[in-house]
Amino acid sequence: MHQNPDRSPFSPVNIGPLTLKNRFIKAATNEGMSAQGVPSRQLAKLHAGLASGGVALTTVAYCAVSRDGRTLPNQLILERDSLPHFKALTDAVHREGGKASAQITHGGCFTFIRERSTPRPLSASGGFNKIGMMSGMFLKQAMNEADMEQVVRDFAQGARLAREAGFDAVEIHMGHGYLLSQFISPLYNKRRDQYGGSLENRLRFPRRVLRAVLDAVGQDLAVVCKYSITEGVRAGNSAEDGAQIARMLEQEGAHLLVLSAGMNAESITTMFGSSFPKENRVQQKNPVIALAMALQRRMDPVVEFRELYLLEHARKVRAAVKMPLAYLGGAKSLASIEQVMAEGFDLVAMGRVLIAEPDYVNKLASGASRNSICTACNRCVAMMYTPGGTSCVLGQPGDAQLNSQRAAG
């Protein structure tokens, strides 16, 4: 274990070509602030507020690299027409002294978009699509070499567009059951060619994507990978697998790993570290989302939140690699943040805590606070479907009017 009791969470850190003023990252969370498929003024305001609140790097979630790569209607897409709106967001963040990261992703078969260029949603393997039970797309399509090459190009182009839009980093989403995760996970990848079978083979395509992104922007932007260090479900990847995955991503040259966990469909409590309240499941106007949440509730066990709920798994990754790592999972007090730093993690990523208190980092730095007001109730997740987008139930809801306006006016 890498012990460093003297490391301060408020000290600067280098991530590839990027220098951050402190060790705090706003983790990617779906804010529901892209009603027209581009950043809204509310989304720009949110991320600017996080920067002014002390966060060094704020992550803009779920920027699809193609229209086929979207998971939900109106999801953010990195394409040329959307650049002025992304640029308005990054300019707002920079004015407040922060840096911005674009999370680039492709949903694969985890999608509710029926209008697409392929007959069926793409994935590592074909056959029955369990996600399609909620969207009517009951079959998925195994990717061939031409499909893979196109997706590699899409990720590289998405990264270049992110650079043009003023982002300081890109985060390649390799977790939670999206396309790259579908290759990594034995739950989804049943291939018998060079992209299936062993863990090394299952990482072959995600590594191609990482290499293409590094070649495209790695001299200018930090290239981050977010992945599930454990999938939290029988027959899925374990934390030991997560450590091996980290070694391979380190070998490929990633600048930073964000250590998440769980899968959207199979093990969402592993991701959040606690169960979702009943009202998150049943008070949804969108019937598809309501059904999805109801099914998850039936599948998931009741889990009580505890701080640093992923630390035992993350330690295995820390012991396996020397590269920078961002701990994610239940850090909601200065004591837990300092413990993460002392155990050798380079940064801490927080989601719910910073939705509850965008200025939490400044409060910690000034001594005004030690413990977050966040209760890890997970109600903020359901709030992303409200007109104002994601907000903490302990505070004010988002501004529905700003959320209906494009960031660049």
Side-chain angles (χ1 to χ4, degrees):
M1 187 182 301
H2 297 60
Q3 293 286 344
N4 191 340
D6 299 322
R7 177 181 291 161
S8 167
F10 304 103
S11 62
V13 61
N14 294 323
I15 304 299
L18 178 64
T19 300
L20 299 179
K21 63 182 180 182
N22 61 42
R23 308 302 180 101
F24 292 94
I25 296 176
K26 165 61 174 64
T29 53
N30 193 338
E31 284 97 6
M33 297 180 183
S34 54
Q36 302 175 56
V38 299
S40 68
R41 289 188 176 182
Q42 177 70 4
L43 187 64
K45 178 182 177 182
L46 172 77
H47 285 283
L50 290 160
S52 67
V55 172
L57 181 68
T58 184
T59 311
V60 180
Y62 302 111
C63 302
V65 295
S66 68
R67 291 194 166 266
D68 279 4
R70 292 173 296 162
T71 58
L72 292 167
N74 296 322
Q75 184 176 352
L76 294 172
I77 310 173
L78 274 165
E79 53 189 4
R80 188 150 299 281
D81 289 347
S82 66
L83 291 192
H85 308 288
F86 281 109
K87 186 67 163 57
L89 186 155
T90 59
D91 284 348
V93 170
H94 293 153
R95 283 195 296 269
E96 299 297 342
K99 305 293 185 182
S101 175
Q103 185 187 63
I104 54 178
T105 187
H106 189 300
C109 67
F110 194 97
T111 182
F112 298 91
I113 305 295
R114 297 182 64 88
E115 301 79 22
R116 52 198 326 104
S117 65
T118 57
R120 301 167 183 168
L122 296 178
S123 188
S125 300
F128 176 65
N129 180 20
K130 57 188 169 186
I131 304 301
M133 293 176 63
M134 297 177 283
S135 65
M137 293 179 287
F138 300 108
L139 296 175
K140 56 187 176 179
Q141 181 175 328
M143 291 176 68
N144 58 32
E145 279 289 343
D147 297 324
M148 291 184 206
E149 186 56 39
Q150 181 60 54
V151 171
V152 168
R153 287 196 296 267
D154 290 340
F155 270 95
Q157 178 64 3
R160 285 189 287 267
L161 290 172
R163 178 179 59 191
E164 192 171 337
F167 283 97
D168 307 282
V170 289
E171 178 182 276
I172 305 171
H173 202 336
M174 296 185 175
H176 300 171
Y178 301 110
L179 178 62
L180 299 183
S181 174
Q182 290 159 28
F183 273 83
I184 296 171
S185 174
L187 299 173
Y188 287 83
N189 189 337
K190 307 299 181 183
R191 300 177 73 105
R192 297 187 179 183
D193 60 5
Q194 62 179 328
Y195 297 100
S198 68
L199 185 58
E200 183 175 6
N201 280 356
R202 300 199 308 272
L203 260 291
R204 193 180 301 274
F205 177 59
R207 288 180 71 166
R208 279 178 60 182
V209 169
L210 171 57
R211 174 44 47 198
V213 171
L214 283 165
D215 290 344
V217 301
Q219 298 300 312
D220 305 314
L221 305 186
V223 178
V224 182
C225 294
K226 182 177 186 176
Y227 77 105
S228 298
I229 55 175
T230 178
E231 292 176 352
V233 61
R234 184 180 300 176
N237 285 324
S238 66
E240 288 74 21
D241 297 318
Q244 292 186 52
I245 292 166
R247 291 191 193 101
M248 286 184 263
L249 297 177
E250 181 179 46
Q251 290 168 4
E252 202 61 53
H255 298 144
L256 171 71
L257 302 183
V258 174
L259 307 182
S260 189
M263 304 288 272
N264 281 319
E266 294 84 1
S267 54
I268 198 165
T269 53
T270 300
M271 189 189 312
F272 286 90
S274 56
S275 301
F276 278 33
K278 183 179 179 180
E279 55 266 36
N280 274 28
R281 311 288 183 162
V282 298
Q283 295 182 357
Q284 294 298 326
K285 294 181 180 180
N286 185 321
V288 173
I289 301 300
L291 175 60
M293 288 183 166
L295 289 173
Q296 284 174 338
R297 188 174 182 225
R298 291 180 65 87
M299 292 167 57
D300 283 346
V302 174
V303 175
E304 296 293 330
F305 177 84
R306 61 182 176 89
E307 282 201 59
L308 302 183
Y309 57 87
L310 290 178
L311 184 56
E312 294 171 12
H313 298 308
R315 284 171 175 151
K316 296 176 182 178
V317 179
R318 180 68 285 174
V321 297
K322 297 180 179 179
M323 68 178 298
L325 300 177
Y327 176 82
L328 173 61
K332 56 190 292 292
S333 67
L334 182 60
S336 61
I337 292 165
E338 289 178 337
Q339 180 179 348
V340 165
M341 293 289 111
E343 294 205 19
F345 295 92
D346 304 270
L347 302 101
V348 59
M350 297 183 290
R352 291 165 291 185
V353 165
L354 293 171
I355 292 171
E357 292 179 277
D359 59 347
Y360 183 56
V361 176
N362 282 347
K363 288 177 179 177
L364 290 177
S366 69
S369 176
R370 291 181 61 89
N371 300 314
S372 170
I373 65 171
C374 176
T375 63
C377 70
N378 295 328
R379 288 178 174 85
C380 56
V381 179
M383 292 296 288
M384 75 181 186
Y385 302 109
T386 62
T390 295
S391 61
C392 178
V393 296
L394 300 177
Q396 295 298 313
D399 188 321
Q401 184 175 357
L402 284 183
N403 206 29
S404 67
Q405 300 170 357
R406 296 183 174 203

